[in-house]
Amino acid sequence: MQQLISVIGSKGGTGKTSISHMLCHGLGLLGRHSISILTDVDRDPLSRSGRHYVTLDGRSPEKLEKILEKLNSIPDWLGVIDGGGSRPDFDRYLYELGGLALLPFRDSHEDMRTVRRDLERFPNAFGIPSQWPTNSWQQMAAERTLDEVMQSYRPRLFDPVYAVSASKLLLQAEVPSNLPGILNNVSRGLAKQVLDRLSLPYSPDSD
Ligand SMILES: Nc1ncnc2c1ncn2[C@@H]1O[C@H](COP(=O)(O)OP(=O)(O)O)[C@@H](O)[C@H]1O
Ligand SMILES: [Mg+2]
């Protein structure tokens, strides 16, 4: 399914849930319809209220199948799956199912070593630096770590998604109507990269 994006990876806490919601939020700001699909059995479903995107509960195989059928019938919509983590077989299923697989990782040797293994297992997936430092000294240090640990994978990395504390607002049951500009900008930047990668258009001026 070309219109399906899977946010996966072996490690917890890398930013899968946040990135999947920021991506949907950004897609909405760029005028694209999307569905955020929950598959993590440890998370509760989030209300649709206040969002630029639809949220659906795909935690059981039957529900997930229904959502995918629905998505197939609306080809101009995108689906973004929050993989949940620590489920290698399910990650492989999502990797094979989707048109694009994203593997978030943070600025740590441990995350980078894990994502390297995932990039080997999933040769068409992309790594995405997550919760990336915004302070310039920390950024320089993070770049050095990338050079040390991830150099040969550079062509398979997206631009970083910066640390934005307001990203938590998208993970609340209900989203406030006025979200900070910084969250919108980072989410839009992420969505543009994904749409470019999928060769899909967007309306740059919509807000
Ligand atoms: N871009 C970001 N900026 C700030 N905090 C973030 C960002 N992405 C994730 N976080 C925080 O990091 C923690 C783990 O993120 P989460 O998306 O739940 O990871 P995962 O789903 O991979 O376990 C959460 O507390 C979340 O709010
Ligand atoms: Mg999660």
Side-chain angles (χ1 to χ4, degrees):
M1 287 180 75
Q2 274 313 303
Q3 63 195 128
L4 190 69
I5 299 137
S6 305
V7 186
I8 55 177
S10 312
K11 213 167 165 295
T14 56
K16 289 177 293 297
T17 302
S18 305
I19 281 188
S20 63
H21 281 267
M22 288 164 97
L23 174 55
C24 286
H25 179 61
L27 288 168
L29 294 175
L30 295 172
R32 303 273 333 194
H33 297 299
S34 70
I35 305 176
S36 163
I37 306 165
L38 174 68
T39 67
D40 186 346
V41 287
D42 293 327
R43 286 199 84 94
D44 292 324
L46 298 173
S47 141
R48 157 87 216 261
S49 164
R51 296 176 201 273
H52 293 282
Y53 54 97
V54 172
T55 49
L56 291 178
D57 179 1
R59 289 176 299 171
S60 74
E62 299 75 28
K63 283 181 174 165
L64 181 58
E65 194 175 325
K66 283 217 175 76
I67 296 170
L68 297 176
E69 262 171 38
K70 175 78 195 152
L71 192 61
N72 250 327
S73 71
I74 42 175
D76 58 326
W77 282 58
L78 292 163
V80 180
I81 295 200
D82 172 12
S86 311
R87 294 181 294 178
D89 295 341
F90 193 60
D91 272 6
R92 175 155 302 279
Y93 167 71
L94 294 178
Y95 168 71
E96 284 166 6
L97 188 68
L100 178 66
L102 299 177
L103 299 163
F105 65 96
R106 289 164 300 186
D107 165 29
S108 79
H109 278 82
E110 199 194 344
D111 272 28
M112 289 186 202
R113 277 195 298 269
T114 308
V115 81
R116 264 192 339 204
R117 278 198 298 275
D118 286 342
L119 286 163
E120 288 299 324
R121 284 179 65 215
F122 304 129
N124 295 317
F126 291 87
I128 179 158
S130 159
Q131 305 171 47
W132 215 243
T134 49
N135 160 300
S136 56
W137 288 103
Q138 286 175 352
Q139 256 173 33
M140 269 163 32
E143 282 294 318
R144 267 201 306 277
T145 315
L146 272 184
D147 282 340
E148 280 164 31
V149 187
M150 303 283 298
Q151 184 59 269
S152 58
Y153 298 92
R154 283 269 190 181
R156 290 178 60 194
L157 300 187
F158 270 49
D159 292 340
V161 170
Y162 291 104
V164 189
S165 59
S167 61
K168 287 184 184 67
L169 298 174
L170 294 177
L171 308 190
Q172 288 181 181
E174 302 220 352
V175 172
S177 54
N178 263 330
L179 291 169
I182 178 75
L183 175 62
N184 293 343
N185 290 341
V186 171
S187 301
R188 238 190 245 108
L190 168 61
K192 280 181 186 173
Q193 290 191 76
V194 166
L195 290 169
D196 286 343
R197 183 61 60 182
L198 295 171
S199 304
L200 292 172
Y202 50 86
S203 36
D205 297 322
S206 55
D207 206 8

